[in-house]
């Protein structure tokens, strides 16, 4: 499922490579010239709406490309809901591959991508931005570059810019440290990189690339206990903004086999994930990744019901459909087949109204739930 793939982008990636982009914050945003396979959706900004333009450089031949695209779809949906009327967010992905290769890649995607993707037109965009490596992201605000950095940091940086809490001077200091951190990683010095990551976390407690760097250092030394304690400390420091870190902790607990910590971590995550996005990501994770016989059968359906009641859920048809689909999976998991089928039927109807690229998968799920119910009544 697209949302679940998106929320796991942090779980399998240590750090993205630092692209060599010789443009800087404050400069005019360079021109983007691409042959679009999936064009940008046309949305007219309001009178007082600020425009944020994000250009992401990726490559369809890289291992992390699919995760990157699904992650960007998730961010676009999240920020469109959270800042509707205040900000217009435009995300475009430019790849160095030729148009024919990109066409073939897009035809194989299931479900199809909703994000704007284009093949670089004769290499012009990569030359305009002076890009030599991928993945990397550039954020422009009202025509000027505001930030350049790894895709994994987009969530926190976009939030800070839209909230008005982003500091360019602080970013420059963190950027220098991140370059040192990446250099140490590429030189095979994970402990040195982890020390730099600790300094970054003093300034930005929720910085995901730094958290992943420290986790990587612990993993190399087979110190799963230290990794778990480190994540617990991060959650305490980040409070209500620790949604993604809760998922990292739960994943680490499963991988360590120390399931005595599982239920406490689940309880804490459910208690402290307050936004509809964090709640839905948590529900999807628990449905997919809970260890056998440790699925929180009472809590997940309640969590899903809570999401469906939250203000704003029904205002966004795409998010509403995702929430109902996850709720249907939760009902199916606890053997309430009638509830699962009813929720999945509503999901299908909503996806039909949207002409959603995810309709085929939703129909497949409905067919499956119905078939299981038919089997359950046969003698």
């Amino acid at each position: 499922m697209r949302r679940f793939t998106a929320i796991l982008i942090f779980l399998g990636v240590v750090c993205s490579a630092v692209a060599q982009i010789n443009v800087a914050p404050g400069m005019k945003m360079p021109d983007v010239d691409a042959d679009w396979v999936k064009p940008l959706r046309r949305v007219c900004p309001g009178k007082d709406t600020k425009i944020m333009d994000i250009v992401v450089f990726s490559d369809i031949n890289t291992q992390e490309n699919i995760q990157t695209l699904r992650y960007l779809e998730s961010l676009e949906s999240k920020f469109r809901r959270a800042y509707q009327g205040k900000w217009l967010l435009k995300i475009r992905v430019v790849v160095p591959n030729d148009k024919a290769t990109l066409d073939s890649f897009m035809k194989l995607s299931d479900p199809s991508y909703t994000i704007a993707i284009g093949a670089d037109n004769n290499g012009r965009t990569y030359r305009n931005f002076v890009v030599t490596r991928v993945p990397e992201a550039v954020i422009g605000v009202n025509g000027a570059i505001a930030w350049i950095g790894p895709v994994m940091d987009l969530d926190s940086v976009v939030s800070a810019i839209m909230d008005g809490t982003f500091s360019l001077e602080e970013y420059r200091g963190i950027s220098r440290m991140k370059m040192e951190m990446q250099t140490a990683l590429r030189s095979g010095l994970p402990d040195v990189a982890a020390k730099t990551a600790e300094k970054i976390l003093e300034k930005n407690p929720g910085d995901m690339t730094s958290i992943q760097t420290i986790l990587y250092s612990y993993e190399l030394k087979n110190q799963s206990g230290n990794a778990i304690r480190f994540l617990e400390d991060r959650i305490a420091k980040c409070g209500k903004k620790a949604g993604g870190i809760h998922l990292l902790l739960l994943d680490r607990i499963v991988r360590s086999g120390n399931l005595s910590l599982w239920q406490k971590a689940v309880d804490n995550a459910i208690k402290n994930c307050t936004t509809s996005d964090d709640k839905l990501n948590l529900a999807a994770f628990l449905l997919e990744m809970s260890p056998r016989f440790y699925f929180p059968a009472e809590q997940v359906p309640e969590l899903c019901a809570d999401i469906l009641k939250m203000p704003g859920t029904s205002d966004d048809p795409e998010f509403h459909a995702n929430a109902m689909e996850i709720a249907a999976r939760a009902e199916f998991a606890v053997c309430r087949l009638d509830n699962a089928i009813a929720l999945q039927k509503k999901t299908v109807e909503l996806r039909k109204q949207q002409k959603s690229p995810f309709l085929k998968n939703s129909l497949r799920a409905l067919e499956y739930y119905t078939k299981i119910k038919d089997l359950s009544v046969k003698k």
Side-chain angles (χ1 to χ4, degrees):
M1 183 177 177
R2 176 176 68 92
R3 283 195 61 87
F4 183 66
T5 303
I7 67 173
L8 288 182
I9 188 170
F10 297 128
L11 305 183
V13 180
V14 176
C15 281
S16 58
V18 176
Q20 304 302 306
I21 300 183
N22 295 330
V23 293
M27 293 176 58
K28 181 183 176 182
M29 193 78 165
D31 292 333
V32 176
D33 185 5
D35 203 347
W36 300 104
V37 173
K38 186 79 177 179
L40 194 68
R41 286 186 290 188
R42 292 183 177 273
V43 181
C44 295
K47 181 181 177 182
D48 299 320
T49 304
K50 297 178 182 178
I51 298 174
M52 181 179 291
D53 186 12
I54 300 177
V55 180
V56 175
F57 297 93
S58 189
D59 186 327
I60 62 175
N61 293 321
T62 57
Q63 185 176 0
E64 68 272 18
N65 179 64
I66 293 175
Q67 287 181 320
T68 297
L69 296 177
R70 296 306 185 193
Y71 174 58
L72 293 172
E73 289 177 331
S74 172
L75 289 187
E76 187 179 52
S77 173
K78 171 183 175 180
F79 288 114
R80 185 178 67 248
R81 290 193 315 279
Y83 295 91
Q84 193 169 22
K86 298 178 182 178
W87 284 89
L88 173 60
L89 178 63
K90 301 191 298 182
I91 302 179
R92 293 176 286 176
V93 179
V94 181
V95 299
N97 317 91
D98 60 69
K99 178 71 159 40
T101 304
L102 181 55
D103 280 334
S104 299
F105 170 79
M106 295 293 284
K107 287 176 182 176
L108 293 173
S109 63
D110 184 21
S112 59
Y113 296 103
T114 60
I115 207 81
I117 307 174
D120 196 7
N121 199 340
N122 296 318
R124 290 175 186 169
T125 304
Y126 273 65
R127 286 197 299 272
N128 289 346
F129 284 83
V130 201
V131 179
T132 59
R133 284 185 295 205
V134 295
E136 195 72 352
V138 180
I139 297 178
V141 175
N142 292 336
I145 293 174
W147 180 85
I148 304 163
V151 173
M152 284 172 58
D153 288 349
L154 276 176
D155 195 348
S156 60
V157 174
V158 171
S159 293
I161 292 175
M162 289 184 169
D163 287 340
T165 58
F166 179 74
S167 165
L168 181 57
E169 190 57 40
E170 185 173 300
Y171 154 69
R172 284 172 175 155
I174 290 176
S175 180
R176 285 192 293 271
M177 287 191 285
K178 285 198 172 184
M179 291 181 69
E180 294 172 7
M181 183 175 74
Q182 296 283 3
T183 299
L185 282 173
R186 288 196 295 269
S187 301
L189 301 170
D191 287 340
V192 175
K195 289 292 184 184
T196 305
E198 289 172 1
K199 295 177 183 178
I200 296 172
L201 289 173
E202 290 175 5
K203 295 180 177 294
N204 183 3
D207 185 82
M208 277 294 182
T209 52
S210 299
I211 289 172
Q212 282 285 15
T213 297
I214 292 173
L215 289 176
Y216 177 60
S217 175
Y218 284 135
E219 189 168 324
L220 288 178
K221 292 178 283 190
N222 200 25
Q223 295 178 345
S224 61
N226 286 343
I228 289 171
R229 285 188 289 274
F230 163 71
L231 289 170
E232 290 173 337
D233 178 67
R234 283 296 98 201
I235 288 170
K237 283 183 168 62
C238 293
K240 301 298 183 182
K241 295 183 178 181
I245 309 175
H246 281 290
L247 303 186
L248 286 173
L249 175 60
L250 290 166
D251 176 72
R252 190 66 52 167
I253 289 171
V254 173
R255 290 165 57 190
S256 72
N258 188 0
L259 297 180
S260 61
L261 303 173
W262 172 258
Q263 190 57 53
K264 180 182 176 182
V266 169
D267 292 341
N268 193 33
I270 290 175
K271 178 182 176 182
N272 290 291
C273 285
T274 56
T275 69
S276 55
D277 284 271
D278 284 346
K279 285 176 179 286
L280 190 59
N281 289 341
L282 176 60
F285 180 93
L286 292 172
L287 279 162
E288 192 76 18
M289 300 296 290
S290 292
R292 185 174 294 182
F293 308 126
Y294 283 84
F295 174 68
E298 291 184 22
Q299 291 167 293
V300 173
E302 291 175 359
L303 179 62
C304 291
D306 184 39
I307 297 164
L308 291 173
K309 293 175 186 174
M310 291 183 73
T313 293
S314 60
D315 295 339
D316 185 321
E318 181 186 350
F319 183 80
H320 193 197
N322 288 334
M324 285 195 295
E325 193 144 59
I326 290 293
R329 287 181 60 189
E331 292 296 317
F332 179 78
V334 296
C335 303
R336 295 199 289 241
L337 296 177
D338 288 337
N339 290 354
I341 291 169
L343 283 164
Q344 194 62 32
K345 282 182 177 178
K346 291 180 181 178
T347 302
V348 166
E349 288 306 311
L350 196 51
R351 298 240 193 257
K352 283 180 179 177
Q353 293 171 20
Q354 297 174 266
K355 298 181 180 178
S356 170
F358 311 114
L359 175 59
K360 183 171 68 174
N361 285 359
S362 295
L363 284 167
R364 191 178 300 141
L366 177 58
E367 181 183 358
Y368 180 73
Y369 297 156
T370 305
K371 185 181 293 184
I372 295 298
K373 182 184 177 183
D374 291 342
L375 287 172
S376 68
V377 298
K378 287 183 179 180
K379 292 184 180 180

